[in-house]
Amino acid sequence: MTFFPTKYVPLDASVLGVASILLSKFKSNDTVSTLWDRVRMHPQIRTFDRYAEALTLLFAANLIDIRNGILVQSSGAGRTI
């Protein structure tokens, strides 16, 4: 899976697109497993590898964090420059 959309890869098939889907499905008190259970049948996610790559991007971008096993939005999430 490509990281960014290209001329041949649509946004929803890229890691960036899957990450945006995860953010839209994100709820309070989600763990990695509960979020996976909710999104696993989504047509753009389909596999745990795609899910894990998107979560990695969200962690690297400091948009989400894990506290006591619970996924939380980071304090910088949602801010604009």
Side-chain angles (χ1 to χ4, degrees), residues 24-65:
S24 71
K25 303 293 184 184
F26 187 83
K27 294 182 181 177
S28 62
N29 293 327
D30 270 339
T31 64
V32 172
S33 297
T34 58
L35 182 58
W36 167 245
D37 288 339
R38 192 177 323 97
V39 300
R40 69 191 303 165
M41 300 308 277
H42 198 282
Q44 282 76 24
I45 297 174
R46 295 188 310 262
T47 68
F48 190 79
D49 286 342
R50 292 170 65 92
Y51 174 73
E53 288 176 352
L55 272 184
T56 301
L57 172 64
L58 293 173
F59 278 109
N62 200 27
L63 294 173
I64 61 172
D65 198 4

Side-chain angles (χ1 to χ4, degrees), residues 23 26 58-59 61-67 71-79:
L23 279 179
F26 187 83
L58 293 173
F59 278 109
N62 200 27
L63 294 173
I64 61 172
D65 198 4
I66 288 189
R67 295 191 189 120
L71 292 170
V72 294
Q73 283 191 334
S74 296
S75 59
R79 283 197 235 162

Side-chain angles (χ1 to χ4, degrees), residues 2-21:
T2 62
F3 198 74
F4 295 110
T6 66
K7 180 178 179 180
Y8 304 104
V9 177
L11 176 63
D12 62 348
S14 67
V15 175
L16 186 62
V18 173
S20 68
I21 293 167

